[in-house]
Amino acid sequence: MLFSEGLVMLGDGISHLMTLSNLFTIAWATLLGIIIGMLPGLTATMGVALLVTLTYNMPGDQAILSLICMYVGAIYGGSRSAILLNIPGTPASAATSLDGHPLAKKGLAGYAMGLATTSSAIGTVVGIFCLALLAPMLSELAFDFGSYEFFWLAAFGVVICGKLTSPTDALKGYISGILGLLVAMIGMESLQAYQRFTFDMPELSGGVGIIPAMVGAFGFAEILTVMRNRKDSQVITSKDRVIPRFIDIWRYRRTIFRSGIIGTLVGIIPGVGEDIGSWASYAAARRASKEKEKFGDGSYEGLTAAETGNSAVIPGAMIPVLTLAIPGSTSAAVLIAAMFIHDIQPGPTLMIQNPSFLYQVIAMLLFTTIAITAYGLSMSKLLIKVLSIPREKLMPIVYILCVVGPFAITQRMFDVYVMIFFGIAGFILRELKFPMAPIVLGIILGTLLDTNLRRGLMLTGGDPAPFFTRPISMVLCAVTFLAILLSIPLFRKMVASLFASIGLYRAPVKTADKPS
């Protein structure tokens, strides 16, 4: 696609949003996302999943607009409680609390929130630029993908998500991913309409609905978690300036650019999410910084890197969503479900059948970025008061949405039972330290993996060789197995020893801690 054509479609996307109804949607959905993100326990995925159930009767483009605003606003809003309470509002803001809260304790809460706001906006813009640049290219490459390549792409997504969302025990991440794949096998399979694992229950013949499963895993499970672990925290007030100085932004321009690129690349990896983007950006910034000693004690650079990284993941996660119909994060997985509900078909054919939709999404992200910047810089001190609402008083409202949402989509009580089942199962798995993201990604990618595996075997008469010999399949297969092997400590030590013997790796030298 020509650059000029892209600019024309982007202009059309921006003009399409310049209506009173769309601007009002941007205003309320972004504000609601910020509030949900800043309240500890109400995650971005949970907010998007609940909102999907309320947008069923909305026009398709307006529904997607509200969900994207909720997504961006919630990821940004998590920095509020991370800075003021040292409790990340969302997992994506965990790295933000390392330097944001020390700044708040020094009396710089307002300035820390202003810096986080600016960093989030810049990170989103960097990701938007990469989305506009890479999505058309990746969409063309996707036409070289056949059943064999899509099988390995789905397998790689589940494996890498399991590995990165459970870094201390990758096996638990893999188990979560396999559980998600098993859930996806329930119901009538797509090639020969054979019913599997339905246990003579006609309600299961259509499979397990992704929305009830997500609402249960991220909504009802959170209610149970809050009931079990009640926490009271003191809000730190702020009386300092909010709008950051230009010199503090310009000083860390390299950190901002690096974190934006890292966040975007993390977003492209299926199912990884904003928290990994935030930590990866923070670690890279600390490694390259000349002020390493300030990290963890109120570093402007550390706060900037964390917020830029997690915000850049959002446009990055939209790249595989729009070009391959594979979610880059758990919130993006909900967006895929919403797109199908509203008759929008993401995937390789999107740039042929509906190329303007890509640029509408870019325009949506741009408008949402403007909204979070306006809210963040003008209403920070007002939004602080929202943090005084106890989570226990919000949970009854969340429970009502958890019940009403799945029922409203299909008018079946069975989906409410599915939501409750996944909520209880999700709560138990959380208590056992199993990550939720691989389960959700497994449900999303399970049909893709299963259908393309059997279709590929049918095309070859049962010969699995093309899964390993076609060029792209070979690369994806190698990367998938390498990811599994690198999660084994013994194999990592062997690789490190091999690299050290040829001078490509040097083990870090442990130094004694300085006396306080």
Side-chain angles (χ1 to χ4, degrees):
M1 182 179 294
L2 296 176
F3 178 72
S4 58
E5 293 178 358
L7 287 178
V8 170
M9 279 192 264
L10 178 59
D12 292 340
I14 292 174
S15 63
H16 177 73
L17 297 180
M18 295 295 291
T19 63
L20 189 60
S21 61
N22 284 331
L23 292 176
F24 178 69
T25 299
I26 292 169
W28 71 259
T30 304
L31 180 59
L32 182 61
I34 293 174
I35 292 173
I36 285 179
M38 67 192 293
L39 292 172
L42 305 184
T43 64
T45 305
M46 175 182 172
V48 176
L50 292 176
L51 188 59
V52 168
T53 63
L54 303 179
T55 59
Y56 188 62
N57 292 321
M58 293 173 63
D61 56 347
Q62 198 166 7
I64 301 301
L65 173 62
S66 64
L67 294 172
I68 287 178
C69 290
M70 168 68 76
Y71 185 10
V72 176
I75 295 300
Y76 160 73
S79 64
R80 311 292 90 175
S81 55
I83 292 170
L84 295 169
L85 305 178
N86 201 26
I87 302 174
T90 62
S93 300
T96 301
S97 63
L98 296 182
D99 289 295
H101 190 62
L103 286 171
K105 291 195 292 186
K106 294 176 182 179
L108 296 172
Y111 196 73
M113 288 189 290
L115 194 61
T117 300
T118 308
S119 302
S120 294
I122 296 174
T124 308
V125 170
V126 172
I128 290 171
F129 178 80
C130 294
L131 170 61
L133 183 67
L134 296 178
M137 298 168 54
L138 187 57
S139 182
E140 292 182 9
L141 178 64
F143 282 107
D144 294 331
F145 280 49
S147 296
Y148 318 101
E149 289 78 15
F150 275 111
F151 166 79
W152 283 116
L153 191 63
F156 170 73
V158 174
V159 167
I160 199 68
C161 181
K163 182 177 186 296
L164 293 180
T165 55
S166 184
T168 57
D169 190 354
L171 182 59
K172 287 187 175 180
Y174 298 150
I175 292 173
S176 294
I178 291 171
L179 288 175
L181 292 175
L182 292 175
V183 171
M185 299 299 111
I186 297 174
M188 191 179 297
E189 53 88 18
S190 58
L191 294 184
Q192 297 176 341
Y194 183 80
Q195 293 190 12
R196 303 175 299 185
F197 310 114
T198 58
F199 304 102
D200 294 326
M201 297 176 63
E203 295 88 351
L204 285 176
S205 60
V208 175
I210 184 62
I211 297 299
M214 283 186 174
V215 170
F218 290 101
F220 191 62
E222 187 62 40
I223 295 173
L224 299 177
T225 302
V226 170
M227 290 171 61
R228 187 177 189 276
N229 304 312
R230 298 182 60 178
K231 295 180 181 179
D232 297 316
S233 301
Q234 181 66 37
V235 177
I236 296 177
T237 58
S238 171
K239 296 183 179 180
D240 58 314
R241 66 176 290 166
V242 173
I243 299 177
R245 301 176 185 87
F246 176 76
I247 190 172
D248 287 331
I249 303 297
W250 183 253
R251 182 186 305 163
Y252 303 120
R253 59 191 182 278
R254 292 187 179 87
T255 299
I256 291 173
F257 179 76
R258 183 196 313 113
S259 301
I261 297 299
I262 291 174
T264 303
L265 294 176
V266 169
I268 295 174
I269 300 173
V272 176
E274 296 79 15
D275 50 339
I276 303 297
S278 180
W279 283 113
S281 300
Y282 186 86
R286 189 179 187 280
R287 194 178 302 116
S289 176
K290 298 179 182 178
E291 305 171 334
K292 292 183 177 65
E293 70 282 354
K294 293 184 179 180
F295 277 67
D297 191 35
S299 167
Y300 288 167
E301 186 175 10
L303 176 61
T304 299
E307 280 300 298
T308 304
N310 65 28
S311 295
V313 170
I314 300 171
M318 298 303 296
I319 295 174
V321 166
L322 297 173
T323 58
L324 300 171
I326 289 178
S329 67
T330 49
S331 298
V334 188
L335 276 175
I336 287 183
M339 288 178 186
F340 282 113
I341 289 174
H342 291 283
D343 295 325
I344 298 171
Q345 302 293 326
T349 60
L350 180 70
M351 293 302 295
I352 294 177
Q353 297 175 349
N354 191 9
S356 62
F357 183 72
L358 166 64
Y359 295 93
Q360 288 181 18
V361 170
I362 293 172
M364 292 174 188
L365 290 168
L366 285 172
F367 274 83
T368 310
T369 302
I370 295 171
I372 64 169
T373 305
Y375 282 131
L377 297 181
S378 64
M379 298 179 62
S380 281
K381 297 181 181 180
L382 179 62
L383 289 172
I384 289 172
K385 297 181 180 179
V386 177
L387 292 174
S388 62
I389 302 175
R391 287 188 298 168
E392 293 78 7
K393 293 183 179 179
L394 293 171
M395 289 302 118
I397 301 174
V398 175
Y399 174 72
I400 292 173
L401 293 175
C402 287
V403 173
V404 171
F407 179 79
I409 293 178
T410 59
Q411 310 292 315
R412 295 192 312 170
M413 276 302 298
F414 180 76
D415 285 335
V416 178
Y417 302 146
V418 170
M419 181 275 297
I420 294 174
F421 173 81
F422 274 88
I424 296 173
F427 170 73
I428 294 172
L429 290 172
R430 284 187 186 191
E431 293 297 307
L432 296 174
K433 306 302 180 184
F434 283 85
M436 290 291 100
I439 296 179
V440 174
L441 193 68
I443 297 174
I444 291 285
L445 297 182
T447 302
L448 181 71
L449 183 145
D450 173 57
T451 301
N452 284 287
L453 172 63
R454 290 186 298 114
R455 181 182 292 144
L457 291 175
M458 288 173 63
L459 290 173
T460 60
D463 181 12
F467 285 96
F468 305 95
T469 56
R470 286 166 60 104
I472 299 179
S473 289
M474 189 185 303
V475 173
L476 290 172
C477 173
V479 172
T480 302
F481 280 102
L482 183 62
I484 295 174
L485 291 173
L486 287 175
S487 64
I488 303 173
L490 179 61
F491 184 80
R492 285 203 305 270
K493 289 181 180 180
M494 292 172 58
V495 172
S497 300
L498 177 63
F499 283 179
S501 65
I502 59 178
L504 295 179
Y505 173 78
R506 184 175 62 184
V509 180
K510 295 183 179 180
T511 57
D513 295 335
K514 295 180 180 180
S516 55

